Amino acid sequence: MHLTVNGTPSAIDGKETLSVTALLAELKVKDALYVTVELNGEILARSAFDSVQVKDGDKLEFLYFMGGGR
């Protein structure tokens, strides 16, 4: 399966589809509990990570929103 992750081509061998949760684990995404996932231009609800399937050609962005300030 070939994907574009954060603008970089990526390949997952031996898989035709993966759930978003499985993909985060496969790619060893740091702080996966805090990541927001955009799939093909659409922000996914965290509750959908187990059911939404990523497939060949998809484009993903992993986003982290940080609070802070003064």
Side-chain angles (χ1 to χ4, degrees), residues 10-11 51:
S10 183
S51 61

Side-chain angles (χ1 to χ4, degrees), residues 1 3 16-20 23 52-56 58 60:
M1 172 171 46
L3 307 168
E16 289 185 27
T17 64
L18 283 173
S19 70
V20 172
L23 178 67
V52 171
Q53 297 293 304
V54 178
K55 59 190 179 317
D56 192 57
D58 281 346
L60 297 108

Side-chain angles (χ1 to χ4, degrees), residues 3-61:
L3 307 168
T4 302
V5 179
N6 292 340
T8 303
S10 183
I12 307 289
D13 293 330
K15 305 286 183 181
E16 289 185 27
T17 64
L18 283 173
S19 70
V20 172
T21 301
L23 178 67
L24 292 171
E26 181 80 23
L27 296 178
K28 297 178 175 75
V29 172
K30 186 177 178 180
D31 297 324
L33 292 175
Y34 304 106
V35 70
T36 298
V37 177
E38 179 182 290
L39 174 62
N40 298 323
E42 189 172 321
I43 299 286
L44 298 177
R46 179 164 298 281
S47 60
F49 283 15
D50 288 336
S51 61
V52 171
Q53 297 293 304
V54 178
K55 59 190 179 317
D56 192 57
D58 281 346
K59 295 180 182 179
L60 297 108
E61 294 289 330

